[in-house]
mmCIF file of all heavy atoms in Angstrom:
data_model
loop_
_atom_site.group_PDB
_atom_site.id
_atom_site.type_symbol
_atom_site.label_atom_id
_atom_site.label_comp_id
_atom_site.label_asym_id
_atom_site.label_seq_id
_atom_site.Cartn_x
_atom_site.Cartn_y
_atom_site.Cartn_z
ATOM 1 N N SER A 759 44.882 -30.145 105.238
ATOM 2 C CA SER A 759 44.541 -30.594 106.595
ATOM 3 C C SER A 759 43.055 -30.440 106.909
ATOM 4 O O SER A 759 42.555 -31.010 107.884
ATOM 5 C CB SER A 759 45.354 -29.804 107.633
ATOM 6 O OG SER A 759 44.934 -28.445 107.690
ATOM 7 N N THR A 760 42.327 -29.709 106.065
ATOM 8 C CA THR A 760 40.890 -29.535 106.259
ATOM 9 C C THR A 760 40.160 -30.832 105.900
ATOM 10 O O THR A 760 40.523 -31.505 104.935
ATOM 11 C CB THR A 760 40.375 -28.394 105.359
ATOM 12 O OG1 THR A 760 41.158 -27.227 105.604
ATOM 13 C CG2 THR A 760 38.913 -28.093 105.627
ATOM 14 N N PRO A 761 39.139 -31.209 106.683
ATOM 15 C CA PRO A 761 38.419 -32.458 106.373
ATOM 16 C C PRO A 761 37.805 -32.443 104.977
ATOM 17 O O PRO A 761 37.546 -31.381 104.400
ATOM 18 C CB PRO A 761 37.332 -32.511 107.458
ATOM 19 C CG PRO A 761 37.867 -31.681 108.579
ATOM 20 C CD PRO A 761 38.660 -30.583 107.926
ATOM 21 N N ALA A 762 37.577 -33.644 104.418
ATOM 22 C CA ALA A 762 36.925 -33.789 103.116
ATOM 23 C C ALA A 762 35.542 -33.147 103.177
ATOM 24 O O ALA A 762 34.913 -33.115 104.232
ATOM 25 C CB ALA A 762 36.826 -35.266 102.762
ATOM 26 N N PRO A 763 35.017 -32.629 102.066
ATOM 27 C CA PRO A 763 35.547 -32.722 100.690
ATOM 28 C C PRO A 763 36.555 -31.626 100.324
ATOM 29 O O PRO A 763 37.157 -31.683 99.269
ATOM 30 C CB PRO A 763 34.290 -32.590 99.833
ATOM 31 C CG PRO A 763 33.408 -31.680 100.634
ATOM 32 C CD PRO A 763 33.663 -32.011 102.079
ATOM 33 N N THR A 764 36.760 -30.609 101.212
ATOM 34 C CA THR A 764 37.689 -29.529 100.870
ATOM 35 C C THR A 764 39.121 -30.026 100.793
ATOM 36 O O THR A 764 39.875 -29.698 99.879
ATOM 37 C CB THR A 764 37.587 -28.394 101.902
ATOM 38 O OG1 THR A 764 36.235 -27.933 101.954
ATOM 39 C CG2 THR A 764 38.509 -27.240 101.534
ATOM 40 N N GLY A 765 39.524 -30.837 101.776
ATOM 41 C CA GLY A 765 40.885 -31.368 101.827
ATOM 42 C C GLY A 765 40.868 -32.861 102.074
ATOM 43 O O GLY A 765 39.894 -33.549 101.744
ATOM 44 N N LEU A 766 41.938 -33.348 102.698
ATOM 45 C CA LEU A 766 42.041 -34.783 103.001
ATOM 46 C C LEU A 766 41.945 -35.067 104.490
ATOM 47 O O LEU A 766 42.022 -36.219 104.910
ATOM 48 C CB LEU A 766 43.378 -35.331 102.474
ATOM 49 C CG LEU A 766 43.557 -35.378 100.956
ATOM 50 C CD1 LEU A 766 44.969 -35.839 100.609
ATOM 51 C CD2 LEU A 766 42.522 -36.304 100.320
ATOM 52 N N GLY A 767 41.802 -34.013 105.305
ATOM 53 C CA GLY A 767 41.754 -34.208 106.750
ATOM 54 C C GLY A 767 43.072 -34.719 107.318
ATOM 55 O O GLY A 767 43.096 -35.448 108.306
ATOM 56 N N ALA A 768 44.192 -34.308 106.727
ATOM 57 C CA ALA A 768 45.506 -34.787 107.165
ATOM 58 C C ALA A 768 45.876 -34.179 108.516
ATOM 59 O O ALA A 768 45.646 -32.992 108.759
ATOM 60 C CB ALA A 768 46.563 -34.424 106.125
ATOM 61 N N THR A 769 46.442 -35.002 109.399
ATOM 62 C CA THR A 769 46.941 -34.500 110.678
ATOM 63 C C THR A 769 48.281 -33.792 110.454
ATOM 64 O O THR A 769 48.867 -33.867 109.373
ATOM 65 C CB THR A 769 47.162 -35.649 111.673
ATOM 66 O OG1 THR A 769 48.209 -36.502 111.164
ATOM 67 C CG2 THR A 769 45.896 -36.477 111.852
ATOM 68 N N GLN A 770 48.781 -33.121 111.512
ATOM 69 C CA GLN A 770 50.055 -32.426 111.356
ATOM 70 C C GLN A 770 51.180 -33.412 111.037
ATOM 71 O O GLN A 770 52.042 -33.134 110.201
ATOM 72 C CB GLN A 770 50.410 -31.638 112.617
ATOM 73 C CG GLN A 770 51.744 -30.886 112.475
ATOM 74 C CD GLN A 770 51.890 -29.749 113.457
ATOM 75 O OE1 GLN A 770 50.980 -28.950 113.649
ATOM 76 N NE2 GLN A 770 53.046 -29.672 114.101
ATOM 77 N N SER A 771 51.177 -34.589 111.672
ATOM 78 C CA SER A 771 52.237 -35.566 111.385
ATOM 79 C C SER A 771 52.122 -36.077 109.953
ATOM 80 O O SER A 771 53.132 -36.303 109.276
ATOM 81 C CB SER A 771 52.179 -36.731 112.375
ATOM 82 O OG SER A 771 50.957 -37.434 112.266
ATOM 83 N N GLU A 772 50.882 -36.246 109.438
ATOM 84 C CA GLU A 772 50.705 -36.672 108.043
ATOM 85 C C GLU A 772 51.164 -35.579 107.068
ATOM 86 O O GLU A 772 51.746 -35.877 106.019
ATOM 87 C CB GLU A 772 49.243 -37.041 107.781
ATOM 88 C CG GLU A 772 48.844 -38.365 108.430
ATOM 89 C CD GLU A 772 47.344 -38.622 108.384
ATOM 90 O OE1 GLU A 772 46.564 -37.644 108.301
ATOM 91 O OE2 GLU A 772 46.945 -39.794 108.447
ATOM 92 N N LEU A 773 50.929 -34.307 107.445
ATOM 93 C CA LEU A 773 51.425 -33.205 106.616
ATOM 94 C C LEU A 773 52.948 -33.204 106.576
ATOM 95 O O LEU A 773 53.572 -32.989 105.530
ATOM 96 C CB LEU A 773 50.917 -31.867 107.157
ATOM 97 C CG LEU A 773 49.435 -31.568 106.969
ATOM 98 C CD1 LEU A 773 49.063 -30.286 107.694
ATOM 99 C CD2 LEU A 773 49.096 -31.460 105.491
ATOM 100 N N GLU A 774 53.566 -33.436 107.751
ATOM 101 C CA GLU A 774 55.027 -33.490 107.796
ATOM 102 C C GLU A 774 55.539 -34.625 106.911
ATOM 103 O O GLU A 774 56.551 -34.489 106.214
ATOM 104 C CB GLU A 774 55.500 -33.674 109.238
ATOM 105 C CG GLU A 774 55.278 -32.434 110.110
ATOM 106 C CD GLU A 774 55.654 -32.662 111.552
ATOM 107 O OE1 GLU A 774 56.521 -33.512 111.822
ATOM 108 O OE2 GLU A 774 55.080 -31.994 112.431
ATOM 109 N N TRP A 775 54.811 -35.753 106.908
ATOM 110 C CA TRP A 775 55.232 -36.876 106.064
ATOM 111 C C TRP A 775 54.977 -36.602 104.583
ATOM 112 O O TRP A 775 55.729 -37.066 103.719
ATOM 113 C CB TRP A 775 54.546 -38.172 106.492
ATOM 114 C CG TRP A 775 55.324 -38.839 107.564
ATOM 115 C CD1 TRP A 775 54.995 -38.987 108.872
ATOM 116 C CD2 TRP A 775 56.626 -39.432 107.431
ATOM 117 N NE1 TRP A 775 55.994 -39.619 109.562
ATOM 118 C CE2 TRP A 775 57.005 -39.915 108.709
ATOM 119 C CE3 TRP A 775 57.505 -39.602 106.366
ATOM 120 C CZ2 TRP A 775 58.230 -40.547 108.938
ATOM 121 C CZ3 TRP A 775 58.719 -40.224 106.592
ATOM 122 C CH2 TRP A 775 59.071 -40.685 107.857
ATOM 123 N N ALA A 776 53.917 -35.839 104.282
ATOM 124 C CA ALA A 776 53.674 -35.479 102.876
ATOM 125 C C ALA A 776 54.831 -34.647 102.333
ATOM 126 O O ALA A 776 55.223 -34.777 101.168
ATOM 127 C CB ALA A 776 52.365 -34.702 102.745
ATOM 128 N N ILE A 777 55.411 -33.803 103.191
ATOM 129 C CA ILE A 777 56.584 -33.025 102.791
ATOM 130 C C ILE A 777 57.830 -33.906 102.817
ATOM 131 O O ILE A 777 58.625 -33.936 101.876
ATOM 132 C CB ILE A 777 56.764 -31.809 103.727
ATOM 133 C CG1 ILE A 777 55.580 -30.839 103.575
ATOM 134 C CG2 ILE A 777 58.071 -31.084 103.434
ATOM 135 C CD1 ILE A 777 55.562 -29.718 104.593
ATOM 136 N N ASN A 778 57.995 -34.679 103.894
ATOM 137 C CA ASN A 778 59.243 -35.418 104.081
ATOM 138 C C ASN A 778 59.342 -36.695 103.247
ATOM 139 O O ASN A 778 60.450 -37.171 102.988
ATOM 140 C CB ASN A 778 59.438 -35.743 105.567
ATOM 141 C CG ASN A 778 59.951 -34.542 106.340
ATOM 142 O OD1 ASN A 778 60.545 -33.638 105.764
ATOM 143 N ND2 ASN A 778 59.707 -34.509 107.632
ATOM 144 N N ALA A 779 58.210 -37.266 102.815
ATOM 145 C CA ALA A 779 58.291 -38.440 101.924
ATOM 146 C C ALA A 779 59.027 -38.045 100.649
ATOM 147 O O ALA A 779 59.871 -38.785 100.134
ATOM 148 C CB ALA A 779 56.895 -38.954 101.593
ATOM 149 N N TYR A 780 58.694 -36.879 100.136
ATOM 150 C CA TYR A 780 59.377 -36.333 98.962
ATOM 151 C C TYR A 780 60.848 -36.081 99.281
ATOM 152 O O TYR A 780 61.758 -36.508 98.571
ATOM 153 C CB TYR A 780 58.672 -35.031 98.577
ATOM 154 C CG TYR A 780 59.273 -34.245 97.449
ATOM 155 C CD1 TYR A 780 58.906 -34.495 96.132
ATOM 156 C CD2 TYR A 780 60.187 -33.221 97.695
ATOM 157 C CE1 TYR A 780 59.432 -33.744 95.088
ATOM 158 C CE2 TYR A 780 60.719 -32.476 96.660
ATOM 159 C CZ TYR A 780 60.341 -32.735 95.364
ATOM 160 O OH TYR A 780 60.865 -31.997 94.340
ATOM 161 N N THR A 781 61.079 -35.398 100.397
ATOM 162 C CA THR A 781 62.432 -34.970 100.753
ATOM 163 C C THR A 781 63.350 -36.140 101.043
ATOM 164 O O THR A 781 64.513 -36.157 100.635
ATOM 165 C CB THR A 781 62.368 -34.034 101.977
ATOM 166 O OG1 THR A 781 61.516 -32.930 101.680
ATOM 167 C CG2 THR A 781 63.738 -33.518 102.342
ATOM 168 N N LEU A 782 62.848 -37.157 101.757
ATOM 169 C CA LEU A 782 63.698 -38.272 102.155
ATOM 170 C C LEU A 782 64.073 -39.157 100.970
ATOM 171 O O LEU A 782 65.221 -39.597 100.863
ATOM 172 C CB LEU A 782 62.999 -39.106 103.232
ATOM 173 C CG LEU A 782 62.928 -38.430 104.608
ATOM 174 C CD1 LEU A 782 62.091 -39.260 105.564
ATOM 175 C CD2 LEU A 782 64.319 -38.217 105.177
ATOM 176 N N VAL A 783 63.115 -39.439 100.099
ATOM 177 C CA VAL A 783 63.448 -40.218 98.899
ATOM 178 C C VAL A 783 64.437 -39.421 98.038
ATOM 179 O O VAL A 783 65.427 -39.957 97.531
ATOM 180 C CB VAL A 783 62.177 -40.561 98.097
ATOM 181 C CG1 VAL A 783 62.540 -41.234 96.781
ATOM 182 C CG2 VAL A 783 61.280 -41.489 98.917
ATOM 183 N N PHE A 784 64.154 -38.134 97.898
ATOM 184 C CA PHE A 784 65.027 -37.226 97.173
ATOM 185 C C PHE A 784 66.450 -37.302 97.735
ATOM 186 O O PHE A 784 67.422 -37.576 97.017
ATOM 187 C CB PHE A 784 64.432 -35.818 97.332
ATOM 188 C CG PHE A 784 65.013 -34.753 96.456
ATOM 189 C CD1 PHE A 784 64.436 -33.493 96.438
ATOM 190 C CD2 PHE A 784 66.124 -34.960 95.667
ATOM 191 C CE1 PHE A 784 64.943 -32.476 95.642
ATOM 192 C CE2 PHE A 784 66.651 -33.950 94.876
ATOM 193 C CZ PHE A 784 66.067 -32.705 94.863
ATOM 194 N N ALA A 785 66.569 -37.072 99.052
ATOM 195 C CA ALA A 785 67.895 -37.038 99.671
ATOM 196 C C ALA A 785 68.573 -38.400 99.647
ATOM 197 O O ALA A 785 69.772 -38.509 99.396
ATOM 198 C CB ALA A 785 67.764 -36.538 101.113
ATOM 199 N N GLY A 786 67.804 -39.451 99.908
ATOM 200 C CA GLY A 786 68.386 -40.787 99.992
ATOM 201 C C GLY A 786 68.937 -41.286 98.669
ATOM 202 O O GLY A 786 69.881 -42.086 98.651
ATOM 203 N N LEU A 787 68.367 -40.830 97.548
ATOM 204 C CA LEU A 787 68.788 -41.327 96.235
ATOM 205 C C LEU A 787 69.716 -40.378 95.492
ATOM 206 O O LEU A 787 70.212 -40.714 94.418
ATOM 207 C CB LEU A 787 67.550 -41.614 95.376
ATOM 208 C CG LEU A 787 66.681 -42.784 95.862
ATOM 209 C CD1 LEU A 787 65.448 -42.928 94.983
ATOM 210 C CD2 LEU A 787 67.469 -44.081 95.877
ATOM 211 N N LEU A 788 69.968 -39.188 96.048
ATOM 212 C CA LEU A 788 70.807 -38.224 95.343
ATOM 213 C C LEU A 788 72.219 -38.749 95.108
ATOM 214 O O LEU A 788 72.817 -38.499 94.060
ATOM 215 C CB LEU A 788 70.868 -36.911 96.128
ATOM 216 C CG LEU A 788 69.736 -35.922 95.854
ATOM 217 C CD1 LEU A 788 69.765 -34.798 96.870
ATOM 218 C CD2 LEU A 788 69.840 -35.353 94.455
ATOM 219 N N PHE A 789 72.772 -39.469 96.098
ATOM 220 C CA PHE A 789 74.111 -40.025 95.920
ATOM 221 C C PHE A 789 74.171 -40.847 94.631
ATOM 222 O O PHE A 789 75.006 -40.639 93.756
ATOM 223 C CB PHE A 789 74.475 -40.954 97.093
ATOM 224 C CG PHE A 789 74.572 -40.273 98.423
ATOM 225 C CD1 PHE A 789 74.131 -40.912 99.568
ATOM 226 C CD2 PHE A 789 75.125 -39.011 98.548
ATOM 227 C CE1 PHE A 789 74.230 -40.312 100.806
ATOM 228 C CE2 PHE A 789 75.231 -38.393 99.786
ATOM 229 C CZ PHE A 789 74.777 -39.045 100.920
ATOM 230 N N SER A 790 73.264 -41.822 94.543
ATOM 231 C CA SER A 790 73.279 -42.728 93.398
ATOM 232 C C SER A 790 72.859 -42.027 92.122
ATOM 233 O O SER A 790 73.363 -42.340 91.041
ATOM 234 C CB SER A 790 72.344 -43.919 93.657
ATOM 235 O OG SER A 790 72.861 -44.685 94.725
ATOM 236 N N ALA A 791 71.937 -41.061 92.225
ATOM 237 C CA ALA A 791 71.511 -40.322 91.035
ATOM 238 C C ALA A 791 72.682 -39.536 90.444
ATOM 239 O O ALA A 791 72.862 -39.498 89.225
ATOM 240 C CB ALA A 791 70.362 -39.375 91.384
ATOM 241 N N GLY A 792 73.478 -38.914 91.307
ATOM 242 C CA GLY A 792 74.647 -38.189 90.820
ATOM 243 C C GLY A 792 75.638 -39.111 90.124
ATOM 244 O O GLY A 792 76.171 -38.783 89.060
ATOM 245 N N LEU A 793 75.868 -40.282 90.715
ATOM 246 C CA LEU A 793 76.780 -41.248 90.104
ATOM 247 C C LEU A 793 76.242 -41.785 88.782
ATOM 248 O O LEU A 793 76.983 -41.950 87.809
ATOM 249 C CB LEU A 793 77.031 -42.414 91.062
ATOM 250 C CG LEU A 793 78.063 -42.178 92.176
ATOM 251 C CD1 LEU A 793 78.102 -43.375 93.112
ATOM 252 C CD2 LEU A 793 79.437 -41.924 91.591
ATOM 253 N N LEU A 794 74.933 -42.072 88.733
ATOM 254 C CA LEU A 794 74.339 -42.573 87.491
ATOM 255 C C LEU A 794 74.423 -41.529 86.383
ATOM 256 O O LEU A 794 74.650 -41.860 85.221
ATOM 257 C CB LEU A 794 72.879 -42.977 87.735
ATOM 258 C CG LEU A 794 72.666 -44.325 88.419
ATOM 259 C CD1 LEU A 794 71.192 -44.516 88.761
ATOM 260 C CD2 LEU A 794 73.146 -45.469 87.527
ATOM 261 N N GLY A 795 74.219 -40.256 86.747
ATOM 262 C CA GLY A 795 74.355 -39.196 85.760
ATOM 263 C C GLY A 795 75.775 -39.123 85.224
ATOM 264 O O GLY A 795 75.995 -38.986 84.021
ATOM 265 N N ASP A 796 76.750 -39.211 86.139
ATOM 266 C CA ASP A 796 78.152 -39.204 85.709
ATOM 267 C C ASP A 796 78.461 -40.404 84.812
ATOM 268 O O ASP A 796 79.268 -40.322 83.897
ATOM 269 C CB ASP A 796 79.075 -39.241 86.937
ATOM 270 C CG ASP A 796 79.067 -37.939 87.727
ATOM 271 O OD1 ASP A 796 78.589 -36.923 87.193
ATOM 272 O OD2 ASP A 796 79.531 -37.947 88.885
ATOM 273 N N ARG A 797 77.793 -41.534 85.088
ATOM 274 C CA ARG A 797 78.107 -42.791 84.383
ATOM 275 C C ARG A 797 77.342 -42.930 83.066
ATOM 276 O O ARG A 797 77.921 -43.244 82.027
ATOM 277 C CB ARG A 797 77.756 -43.970 85.306
ATOM 278 C CG ARG A 797 78.130 -45.331 84.755
ATOM 279 C CD ARG A 797 77.679 -46.445 85.703
ATOM 280 N NE ARG A 797 78.150 -47.728 85.249
ATOM 281 C CZ ARG A 797 79.324 -48.264 85.553
ATOM 282 N NH1 ARG A 797 80.167 -47.600 86.321
ATOM 283 N NH2 ARG A 797 79.680 -49.447 85.099
ATOM 284 N N LEU A 798 76.024 -42.692 83.105
ATOM 285 C CA LEU A 798 75.166 -42.964 81.947
ATOM 286 C C LEU A 798 74.965 -41.744 81.044
ATOM 287 O O LEU A 798 74.559 -41.887 79.889
ATOM 288 C CB LEU A 798 73.799 -43.475 82.412
ATOM 289 C CG LEU A 798 73.806 -44.744 83.273
ATOM 290 C CD1 LEU A 798 72.387 -45.085 83.710
ATOM 291 C CD2 LEU A 798 74.426 -45.912 82.510
ATOM 292 N N GLY A 799 75.201 -40.568 81.581
ATOM 293 C CA GLY A 799 74.953 -39.348 80.823
ATOM 294 C C GLY A 799 73.909 -38.499 81.531
ATOM 295 O O GLY A 799 72.826 -38.976 81.863
ATOM 296 N N ARG A 800 74.259 -37.236 81.774
ATOM 297 C CA ARG A 800 73.370 -36.392 82.595
ATOM 298 C C ARG A 800 72.077 -36.028 81.872
ATOM 299 O O ARG A 800 71.030 -35.869 82.502
ATOM 300 C CB ARG A 800 74.126 -35.130 83.004
ATOM 301 C CG ARG A 800 75.172 -35.407 84.085
ATOM 302 C CD ARG A 800 76.511 -34.813 83.781
ATOM 303 N NE ARG A 800 77.537 -35.305 84.700
ATOM 304 C CZ ARG A 800 78.838 -35.089 84.510
ATOM 305 N NH1 ARG A 800 79.262 -34.432 83.443
ATOM 306 N NH2 ARG A 800 79.716 -35.550 85.365
ATOM 307 N N LYS A 801 72.126 -35.915 80.547
ATOM 308 C CA LYS A 801 70.908 -35.581 79.814
ATOM 309 C C LYS A 801 69.886 -36.709 79.929
ATOM 310 O O LYS A 801 68.695 -36.455 80.144
ATOM 311 C CB LYS A 801 71.244 -35.319 78.344
ATOM 312 C CG LYS A 801 70.042 -34.941 77.489
ATOM 313 C CD LYS A 801 70.474 -34.566 76.072
ATOM 314 C CE LYS A 801 69.292 -34.143 75.220
ATOM 315 N NZ LYS A 801 69.716 -33.695 73.870
ATOM 316 N N LYS A 802 70.337 -37.955 79.782
ATOM 317 C CA LYS A 802 69.414 -39.095 79.908
ATOM 318 C C LYS A 802 68.782 -39.133 81.301
ATOM 319 O O LYS A 802 67.577 -39.373 81.458
ATOM 320 C CB LYS A 802 70.166 -40.407 79.650
ATOM 321 C CG LYS A 802 70.760 -40.560 78.261
ATOM 322 C CD LYS A 802 71.417 -41.922 78.109
ATOM 323 C CE LYS A 802 72.151 -42.052 76.780
ATOM 324 N NZ LYS A 802 73.382 -41.233 76.721
ATOM 325 N N ILE A 803 69.606 -38.895 82.320
ATOM 326 C CA ILE A 803 69.114 -38.910 83.700
ATOM 327 C C ILE A 803 68.108 -37.782 83.924
ATOM 328 O O ILE A 803 67.076 -37.962 84.584
ATOM 329 C CB ILE A 803 70.299 -38.793 84.681
ATOM 330 C CG1 ILE A 803 71.151 -40.077 84.642
ATOM 331 C CG2 ILE A 803 69.824 -38.512 86.093
ATOM 332 C CD1 ILE A 803 70.418 -41.327 85.074
ATOM 333 N N LEU A 804 68.389 -36.603 83.368
ATOM 334 C CA LEU A 804 67.460 -35.475 83.485
ATOM 335 C C LEU A 804 66.102 -35.804 82.871
ATOM 336 O O LEU A 804 65.052 -35.562 83.469
ATOM 337 C CB LEU A 804 68.043 -34.245 82.788
ATOM 338 C CG LEU A 804 68.817 -33.239 83.628
ATOM 339 C CD1 LEU A 804 69.483 -32.206 82.737
ATOM 340 C CD2 LEU A 804 67.894 -32.556 84.618
ATOM 341 N N LEU A 805 66.123 -36.352 81.655
ATOM 342 C CA LEU A 805 64.871 -36.666 80.966
ATOM 343 C C LEU A 805 64.077 -37.725 81.718
ATOM 344 O O LEU A 805 62.854 -37.600 81.896
ATOM 345 C CB LEU A 805 65.165 -37.137 79.533
ATOM 346 C CG LEU A 805 65.712 -36.061 78.579
ATOM 347 C CD1 LEU A 805 66.188 -36.686 77.275
ATOM 348 C CD2 LEU A 805 64.645 -35.005 78.304
ATOM 349 N N GLY A 806 64.769 -38.767 82.198
ATOM 350 C CA GLY A 806 64.083 -39.812 82.957
ATOM 351 C C GLY A 806 63.516 -39.282 84.262
ATOM 352 O O GLY A 806 62.380 -39.599 84.645
ATOM 353 N N GLY A 807 64.293 -38.459 84.955
ATOM 354 C CA GLY A 807 63.818 -37.897 86.220
ATOM 355 C C GLY A 807 62.607 -37.011 86.042
ATOM 356 O O GLY A 807 61.652 -37.061 86.825
ATOM 357 N N LEU A 808 62.612 -36.180 84.985
ATOM 358 C CA LEU A 808 61.458 -35.317 84.723
ATOM 359 C C LEU A 808 60.204 -36.130 84.422
ATOM 360 O O LEU A 808 59.105 -35.788 84.878
ATOM 361 C CB LEU A 808 61.765 -34.381 83.547
ATOM 362 C CG LEU A 808 62.675 -33.192 83.844
ATOM 363 C CD1 LEU A 808 63.077 -32.490 82.555
ATOM 364 C CD2 LEU A 808 61.987 -32.204 84.786
ATOM 365 N N ALA A 809 60.361 -37.226 83.673
ATOM 366 C CA ALA A 809 59.200 -38.065 83.344
ATOM 367 C C ALA A 809 58.592 -38.668 84.605
ATOM 368 O O ALA A 809 57.371 -38.655 84.801
ATOM 369 C CB ALA A 809 59.623 -39.167 82.373
ATOM 370 N N VAL A 810 59.443 -39.215 85.488
ATOM 371 C CA VAL A 810 58.944 -39.808 86.732
ATOM 372 C C VAL A 810 58.294 -38.740 87.610
ATOM 373 O O VAL A 810 57.229 -38.971 88.215
ATOM 374 C CB VAL A 810 60.096 -40.508 87.493
ATOM 375 C CG1 VAL A 810 59.645 -40.955 88.880
ATOM 376 C CG2 VAL A 810 60.599 -41.703 86.698
#
Side-chain angles (χ1 to χ4, degrees):
S759 69
T760 306
T764 303
L766 292 176
T769 65
Q770 180 160 314
S771 62
E772 287 170 335
L773 289 174
E774 290 176 27
W775 273 110
I777 295 172
N778 281 337
Y780 176 88
T781 303
L782 288 174
V783 174
F784 191 173
L787 293 177
L788 274 169
F789 296 143
S790 294
L793 280 175
L794 282 173
D796 289 345
R797 185 183 186 88
L798 302 177
R800 286 132 191 169
K801 181 175 182 176
K802 298 183 186 71
I803 291 298
L804 265 172
L805 291 170
L808 283 171
V810 172

